[in-house]
Amino acid sequence: MLDFLGVTEHFSCMENTPFSFPALFRDMAGEAVSLDGVIFSGSIVSANQEMVEISIEKGESSNEVIFSFPALPEGRWSYNVLVQADDGSQRILFSGYISVLGVSRVAQLAGGPPMKNRTLLVAMPGEATMRLRMEWMATTAAQAFAYHALQASKNAHADAETASQAAKTATDAAATAAGRAEETEGYAGSALASKRAAAASEAAAGTSATNAARDAKSANDAKTAVESLAATWPETVNNGKQQIIEARNEAVTAIQDKQADSVLAVGRASQTAQQNIASAQADAVAAVQEAEEEAQGTITPLVQRAETAKEAIDQAERRINTAATNATTAATSAASSATAAQQALEAIPEVDASGNMTLAGGLTAAGAINANGGVNIPLAVGAPTDTAAVNRLHAAGMAGVTDIFSQHAYLNTGSITATGTAATTVLIPGQYAQVRVPAGTHSTIVFPFTGPNGQHNYSNFAGFSIPWRIPGAGKITIGIGRGSKTTRSDLTQGSYSIIPGNNLAHNSGEILDITFDNVRDATRGGYVVKVREIYALSEAEGWRVKTTTSFVPATHNEPIPSIVNKIIYHQRTQYKFEREYISYGSLYLLTGGGQTVQLHKIAAVRGVNAFETGLGISSIVTDLPGTASGDVYMQVGSAVRTLYQPGNINPVYYALEALARNDIEAEETADFVDINIPL
């Protein structure tokens, strides 16, 4: 089994055009390496995270693999090709992006060179210095298609004169072909008779229409083919000479048109256009040569078609008759089953008006029937009788373990900042603070966190929950993971209060921005919540924004975010520095009020790695616009930070996923564009 080293490869293709390419695996000396037993897989991810499989098959040689990609619409698609290692895990062979070009852009690539081999290095297990060479056709599929289409067009033009001369010779052969027309008409007549018999059989099988539908369709298709043959053949023979002359002229015109439109035509017909053109040319030349040598060679295939059509109709007739018989048998069996079911139903004891059921023969039990109508089953000697107490003790122990894997992130109440005329009150130092924003004003409030935590290389950060409440419209922004973040104050609600700092590590840190507009949707009965996640998989790809829109149901008297008690984030395991976007974590709201559901999932996010993340959160930023009606008060409490449990798994994440209602309605990803609009 091979253990491959993933590499990045980007290429382009044409819209709505499937394509494939082979890859050859050799050692560094150029010798072929067998891939027997190696399992490949691959997929393409659309902009809305839909998965499309890549077809991967072994080639004719033992070291060849053929990758076949489906037709895709215009746009940019990510893909990856994986290989299964000895331990069953999936390793990336190569990955990247596919740029799908519209047909109008293909002409720009037509003048390029043909495809050339590209060599990628992949690693062998066991020895870090050993490498294989994977060779594949690396020039873009669109450029290769256009190049070969132009070459095929030139070849077709050269063959035009040969086809024109052969067509003149075929004119003389048409007269001989007329003598075979009567024989063909005889076969057509027999086929029509068989068709009528098949139609009669189809009518007789009406009760089995579902099973016989596809056979009836086959018979109808054969009937249409035979009728067309019988109706058009005499006219074809009588007008053969004129048709051949017209065909010659049309061939010349079509070839001339093909020269002008070859690139666009091949874009719609896929990479097999060159093969189709060559096949059509070969068929045309062969047909003319056969007509020159012997007219009977032209008639024989038509006679065989008529015989084949007749046989198809006969087979369809037999299948229809069989289907009719099967339908009759099935109906009889169904009737018998219905009778048996009715008898079984009648045998079930009925419950009378008082709720009692009378059983034939009475009820026999080893123990006495108790007052509840049940039977007391005696326990074996020595068996525990108070299992409820044991269960309660076990549950209490598990709750204690859960508490052990939690740690407080205390509010640094002495460092809280608020812009404008807002006033901060520390109600409990390190635990609880309140900010008052006067009527008609705005404030950006930064709440830093501190506390004891393991550090060194890995902090084991798995998630947090923060008590947080604002009475109306506003937003909360949280930076998690490794690296610095830059905070900005007094911006509009649509702006970003936190953006990546100079050393916010790509693939290790991200920012979560949650906006509440506080406008109730009276028709749907609830509130829209928007989450914007700022992240970057690599420095080369740059920062991206994933926007998630959720809808949280609530009554008119229970507005969002006024009834929000906590903002909660948890991830199932550590983020693995992926080459593509994978959701490891989820964002939740814990609400109060008279809600039937109190836990709401409002976003699925990428997550962070625990390397040098400290508390995981350094601070939260709240943007709070005041109201004209009076002062606005908001409250924040100390956070609870959760650590990974044995195996680097976070069971709290799975518990939240099971309890929460998924309120996510839409997700959209775009390049990050900083929005910095002052109030």
Side-chain angles (χ1 to χ4, degrees):
M1 185 70 71
L2 303 180
D3 184 13
F4 295 97
L5 174 65
V7 293
T8 300
E9 280 294 313
H10 306 305
F11 56 91
S12 62
C13 67
M14 289 183 296
E15 63 175 336
N16 303 321
T17 302
F19 64 94
S20 63
F21 58 80
L24 298 175
F25 292 80
R26 297 186 174 93
D27 59 22
M28 300 307 292
E31 297 297 327
V33 176
S34 175
L35 299 176
D36 293 341
V38 180
I39 301 175
F40 297 90
S41 63
S43 61
I44 302 171
V45 183
S46 67
N48 57 3
Q49 304 301 310
E50 294 181 354
M51 304 291 291
V52 181
E53 295 298 324
I54 300 172
S55 175
I56 304 176
E57 299 179 349
K58 297 296 178 63
E60 295 182 357
S61 59
S62 62
N63 69 325
E64 181 182 27
V65 177
I66 298 175
F67 302 94
S68 298
F69 291 72
L72 301 171
E74 183 176 6
R76 189 167 183 256
W77 302 69
S78 64
Y79 79 97
N80 60 49
V81 176
L82 310 176
V83 66
Q84 182 171 306
D86 292 335
D87 59 1
S89 63
Q90 297 290 328
R91 306 291 178 85
I92 293 179
L93 176 59
F94 61 94
S95 62
Y97 288 93
I98 304 173
S99 296
V100 183
L101 306 180
V103 174
S104 60
R105 296 180 58 193
V106 175
Q108 301 172 11
L109 303 176
M115 294 190 293
K116 297 180 180 179
N117 282 347
R118 167 110 166 97
T119 301
L120 307 179
L121 288 183
V122 295
M124 286 285 286
E127 297 186 32
T129 60
M130 182 177 290
R131 294 288 187 273
L132 295 183
R133 294 187 304 175
M134 186 184 79
E135 297 180 357
W136 65 304
M137 309 299 277
T139 302
T140 62
Q143 186 171 346
F145 297 160
Y147 175 86
H148 290 300
L150 289 177
Q151 294 300 320
S153 176
K154 294 176 182 178
N155 295 337
H157 180 66
D159 292 338
E161 294 299 328
T162 302
S164 177
Q165 294 174 2
K168 182 178 183 301
T169 304
T171 302
D172 298 333
T176 304
R180 298 291 182 178
E182 293 182 0
E183 182 181 351
T184 303
E185 290 177 347
Y187 282 103
S190 298
L192 285 172
S194 298
K195 178 267 301 182
R196 296 188 180 95
S201 298
E202 180 182 358
T207 57
S208 59
T210 302
N211 296 330
R214 57 179 176 272
D215 296 316
K217 183 179 183 300
S218 298
N220 186 66
D221 292 342
K223 174 206 71 174
T224 302
V226 172
E227 286 180 340
S228 176
L229 179 63
T232 61
W233 176 248
E235 182 180 353
T236 301
V237 174
N238 293 333
N239 299 325
K241 180 178 180 179
Q242 182 62 31
Q243 289 179 348
I244 291 174
I245 293 173
E246 293 176 356
R248 178 193 62 192
N249 296 333
E250 291 175 357
V252 173
T253 301
I255 291 170
Q256 292 173 344
D257 292 341
K258 183 63 70 177
Q259 288 178 295
D261 300 329
S262 59
V263 175
L264 296 180
V266 86
R268 298 185 178 95
S270 81
Q271 71 269 35
T272 59
Q274 179 190 1
Q275 299 172 358
N276 292 339
I277 292 171
S279 176
Q281 293 169 350
D283 290 343
V285 174
V288 172
Q289 289 174 347
E290 290 175 3
E292 289 176 303
E293 296 172 358
E294 186 177 0
Q296 186 175 359
T298 306
I299 298 299
T300 300
L302 298 176
V303 174
Q304 292 175 347
R305 285 176 55 195
E307 292 176 344
T308 301
K310 177 179 179 300
E311 178 62 23
I313 293 175
D314 291 340
Q315 292 178 0
E317 180 180 358
R318 290 193 292 270
R319 288 196 297 269
I320 291 172
N321 291 336
T322 301
T325 302
N326 292 341
T328 302
T329 302
T332 302
S333 176
S336 300
S337 298
T339 301
Q342 179 62 30
Q343 293 173 350
L345 184 63
E346 293 174 352
I348 297 176
E350 296 182 357
V351 179
D352 60 22
S354 300
N356 298 317
M357 177 185 291
T358 301
L359 299 176
L363 178 65
T364 301
I369 299 176
N370 58 34
N372 296 322
V375 178
N376 294 324
I377 302 175
L379 292 173
V381 176
T385 57
D386 197 354
T387 56
V390 175
N391 290 337
R392 283 194 294 270
L393 183 62
H394 179 74
M398 294 304 294
V401 171
T402 302
D403 187 63
I404 289 173
F405 281 93
S406 299
Q407 196 168 10
H408 279 284
Y410 296 97
L411 273 175
N412 190 350
T413 48
S415 300
I416 297 174
T417 61
T419 63
T421 57
T424 301
T425 301
V426 177
L427 301 176
I428 303 176
Q431 295 285 345
Y432 177 37
Q434 176 177 278
V435 177
R436 178 180 63 85
V437 179
T441 66
H442 176 279
S443 183
T444 298
I445 310 149
V446 180
F447 298 92
F449 289 91
T450 187
N453 61 285
Q455 179 60 53
H456 198 53
N457 285 337
Y458 291 90
S459 68
N460 212 27
F461 166 73
F464 62 79
S465 65
I466 303 175
W468 177 89
R469 179 185 177 273
I470 60 175
K475 71 173 183 174
I476 176 175
T477 308
I478 307 167
I480 62 176
R482 184 182 176 191
S484 65
K485 297 90 177 171
T486 301
T487 301
R488 288 98 62 90
S489 301
D490 297 324
L491 303 179
T492 59
Q493 293 291 287
S495 301
Y496 293 109
S497 299
I498 301 178
I499 60 172
N502 292 333
N503 68 337
L504 177 54
H506 301 91
N507 229 328
S508 296
E510 61 177 349
I511 297 167
L512 306 175
D513 181 287
I514 312 168
T515 304
F516 304 90
D517 61 14
N518 201 38
V519 177
R520 184 174 185 273
D521 187 327
T523 302
R524 302 171 65 191
Y527 297 83
V528 173
V529 179
K530 182 172 69 175
V531 176
R532 294 181 295 182
E533 175 193 11
I534 305 175
Y535 69 93
L537 297 177
S538 67
E539 184 175 2
E541 295 181 16
W543 294 98
R544 304 273 287 168
V545 175
K546 177 184 177 184
T547 301
T548 302
T549 303
S550 300
F551 185 81
V552 181
T555 68
H556 181 68
N557 294 326
E558 298 165 354
I560 301 292
S562 181
I563 61 171
V564 172
N565 289 319
K566 282 188 175 183
I567 306 291
I568 303 171
Y569 170 79
H570 274 271
Q571 56 189 65
R572 63 180 186 273
T573 186
Q574 293 192 46
Y575 177 75
K576 303 297 183 182
F577 299 97
E578 305 286 355
R579 291 178 178 270
E580 60 180 321
Y581 186 97
I582 298 177
S583 295
Y584 279 78
S586 294
L587 196 61
Y588 308 90
L589 297 179
L590 181 65
T591 62
Q595 300 281 88
T596 56
V597 175
Q598 279 73 38
L599 190 61
H600 307 265
K601 180 176 179 177
I602 58 173
V605 300
R606 187 197 64 180
V608 296
N609 192 280
F611 182 69
E612 294 182 355
T613 59
L615 289 171
I617 52 170
S618 57
S619 63
I620 64 171
V621 177
T622 297
D623 283 281
L624 189 61
T627 63
S629 58
D631 296 349
V632 176
Y633 292 85
M634 69 156 296
Q635 295 87 30
V636 174
S638 64
V640 176
R641 172 177 173 269
T642 300
L643 308 177
Y644 288 116
Q645 300 186 21
N648 284 328
I649 299 299
N650 179 13
V652 179
Y653 168 86
Y654 294 99
L656 292 172
E657 285 290 286
L659 294 172
R661 180 175 61 197
N662 190 341
D663 289 337
I664 297 174
E665 292 192 330
E667 296 176 318
E668 181 180 0
T669 302
D671 292 334
F672 171 71
V673 177
D674 186 15
I675 303 174
N676 183 8
I677 304 174
L679 293 171

